[in-house]
Amino acid sequence: MDVIRQGARARTGGRRRDACPYPLESRERRAWFEGYEGGAWDEMPRAPHPARNRQGATPIDVAGITAAPSIPLPPTQG
């Protein structure tokens, strides 16, 4: 079983952080805690890729700042 998934299941199962079965300073322990704590990938909001946003709307990055495209978008037909 994937070690990250083991950590996530431990958290959802109500186990404590000190229930990690892997030795200190091991890669497996870091991976287990990544799953237990929800890892960075679960927490990040996703923004659409600018190449997929071709309806004339301006791309917005994760922080909410309007980004100017480096390549001009083609005019929309409507």
Side-chain angles (χ1 to χ4, degrees), residues 1 4-5 8 12 18 21-23 32 35 38 42 46-47 49 59 65 76:
M1 183 192 306
I4 296 173
R5 206 173 301 163
T12 58
D18 60 1
Y22 298 103
W32 192 91
D42 294 341
R46 293 188 172 191
H49 190 278
I65 301 169
T76 58

Side-chain angles (χ1 to χ4, degrees), residues 15-70:
R15 294 179 68 192
R16 295 174 36 166
R17 286 177 49 101
D18 60 1
C20 180
Y22 298 103
L24 294 173
E25 305 299 325
S26 67
R27 275 186 2 192
E28 290 84 6
R29 187 175 183 89
R30 285 193 304 268
W32 192 91
F33 278 109
E34 182 180 334
Y36 188 90
E37 294 168 354
W41 295 106
D42 294 341
E43 304 282 328
M44 292 287 291
R46 293 188 172 191
H49 190 278
R52 297 186 56 81
N53 190 5
R54 298 250 181 217
Q55 283 75 31
T58 305
I60 306 236
D61 70 356
V62 177
I65 301 169
T66 304
S70 58

